[in-house]
Amino acid sequence: MDILLDCDPGLDDAVAIAVAARFSNLLAVTTVGGNVGLDHTTANALAVLDLLGRPDVPVHSGHDETIRGDIPIRATEFHGRTGTGSIELPRSVRAPDSLDAVGFLAKTIRSHDGVQPLWLVASGPLTNVAYLASSAPDAFAKLDGISWMGGSATYGNATPGAEFNAFTDPEAAQIVFAAGHSNLIMSGLHLTHTVLLDRLWIDRFTAEVAGSSTAVFAEMLDYYERSQRAVTTIAGAAVHDAVAVAVATHPQLFEAQRYAVEVMTDSGAARGMTLVDRRPYRVKAPANCSVVDAADGAALAALIWESLLPPGIH
Ligand code: BDR
Ligand code: CA
């Protein structure tokens, strides 16, 4: 499977890059502003690919501002000021291959030969993806699937109702949900808060990779687990973004159902909420999305473990 990964690394985005690099043919990483600003998300994507021994994967940076043109809130309480916690990754000698992620995505999708399925995985705000849907609808429609980590069918984290990626750019999310793609999949917070790497897992993993080139991932997960424990009552690190990659690469590990999902774009308390129409009614708005409701958490943790081992050990 060929994957294009649009992300805002971000600690769990870093894990998502590792899973995509391990279990797909990762064609490119594109970056968006989200957890931290675009300069940091781009530098982090380049640095993470270096750590994984994949400096061959192109990186294209995209939008920092939202569709409305504002610079959104950042998620520094979970990801630190630069997006990698308190860990300073070795800066890549590479620069991004272009500053036009959307143009790059359109061109790459249009020229894709279709031999392997082509998926777009989005693990940040949907700003770049919305620009793709509106400026290149043919390319957007040609994608075999779009797997997004974002939204929620229950509670939020940015606000009581809204998940961070949806809340950061609700207009973008609304554009993507309204664009009518036949295979849009949402892994929301209601799901990703059930896929946890607990303290025992992180300590074991830390021992496993000690002294190796990927030991820094153990440090990042350690920081991430501690920051989540400080803010939430959840017993482990929710590596949200890795889930969206696995939805594309390992669909057998998930249960999903199609629903109509609307993104609230008004300025009130519901801004950024994803309203999933779960009414058991015979007549209702047509479904525009598959909502993932269950995952095999143990299998996912094993995939993540394998992805973060030093290159050559797989
Ligand atoms: C999402 O928000 C970000 O902080 C994470 O990287 C993830 O994409 C979870 O709500
Ligand atoms: Ca993210």
Side-chain angles (χ1 to χ4, degrees):
M1 159 178 294
D2 293 343
I3 282 186
L4 295 159
L5 175 57
D6 188 70
C7 58
D8 62 334
L11 294 163
D12 57 329
D13 299 82
V15 179
I17 294 173
V19 175
R22 173 71 184 92
F23 291 108
S24 76
N25 179 31
L26 179 58
L27 295 183
V29 171
T30 55
T31 54
V32 66
N35 284 321
V36 287
L38 185 69
D39 48 350
H40 287 307
T41 62
T42 305
N44 293 341
L46 289 162
V48 165
L49 286 165
D50 285 356
L51 284 172
L52 294 167
R54 294 301 306 274
D56 56 302
V57 176
V59 173
H60 297 259
S61 77
H63 288 269
D64 199 17
E65 294 180 359
T66 65
I67 293 277
R68 279 204 314 201
D70 40 42
I71 293 286
I73 54 149
R74 304 302 189 189
T76 47
E77 78 275 36
F78 292 117
H79 301 273
R81 197 183 47 80
T82 62
T84 53
S86 57
I87 297 102
E88 213 173 300
L89 298 184
R91 202 177 170 80
S92 180
V93 294
R94 283 202 291 159
D97 293 80
S98 88
L99 307 182
D100 178 23
V102 177
F104 164 79
L105 288 171
K107 197 170 142 214
T108 305
I109 298 164
R110 282 179 180 137
S111 62
H112 188 258
D113 60 14
V115 175
Q116 295 292 327
L118 175 60
W119 280 62
L120 175 61
V121 177
S123 65
L126 286 171
T127 319
N128 289 341
V129 184
Y131 279 115
L132 176 72
S134 51
S135 66
D138 58 311
F140 182 78
K142 192 183 166 192
L143 288 162
D144 292 294
I146 302 171
S147 175
W148 179 48
M149 189 286 129
S152 176
T154 54
Y155 59 86
N157 51 3
T159 71
E163 180 280 331
F164 177 81
N165 290 336
F167 182 74
T168 297
D169 198 345
E171 282 74 17
Q174 179 58 13
I175 289 169
V176 171
F177 277 82
H181 194 279
S182 58
N183 195 16
L184 172 64
I185 307 180
M186 169 179 137
S187 298
L189 196 67
H190 65 283
L191 172 79
T192 60
H193 267 179
T194 69
V195 179
L196 303 174
L197 303 182
D198 63 17
R199 183 40 53 192
L200 186 64
W201 190 102
I202 290 170
D203 289 345
R204 280 197 189 132
F205 178 72
T206 302
E208 170 89 16
V209 296
S212 81
S213 59
T214 60
V216 69
F217 281 99
E219 286 179 59
M220 291 197 276
L221 284 171
D222 178 73
Y223 179 98
Y224 196 46
E225 193 272 342
R226 288 176 198 278
S227 71
Q228 290 193 43
R229 193 147 33 93
V231 177
T232 75
T233 55
I234 297 170
V239 275
H240 315 274
D241 296 337
V243 175
V245 175
V247 163
T249 58
H250 295 77
Q252 69 279 12
L253 301 181
F254 300 92
E255 283 170 29
Q257 273 201 56
R258 290 190 59 75
Y259 293 103
V261 178
E262 198 180 335
V263 186
M264 310 309 288
T265 53
D266 59 283
S267 57
R271 182 167 172 77
M273 280 181 72
T274 45
L275 191 59
V276 180
D277 188 353
R278 294 199 194 256
R279 290 174 299 170
Y281 284 18
R282 295 186 195 284
V283 179
K284 50 184 190 168
N288 58 355
C289 177
S290 296
V291 176
V292 187
D293 281 322
D296 181 339
L300 283 169
L303 294 185
I304 292 168
W305 183 291
E306 194 179 334
S307 306
L308 298 178
L309 294 176
I313 298 226
H314 304 129

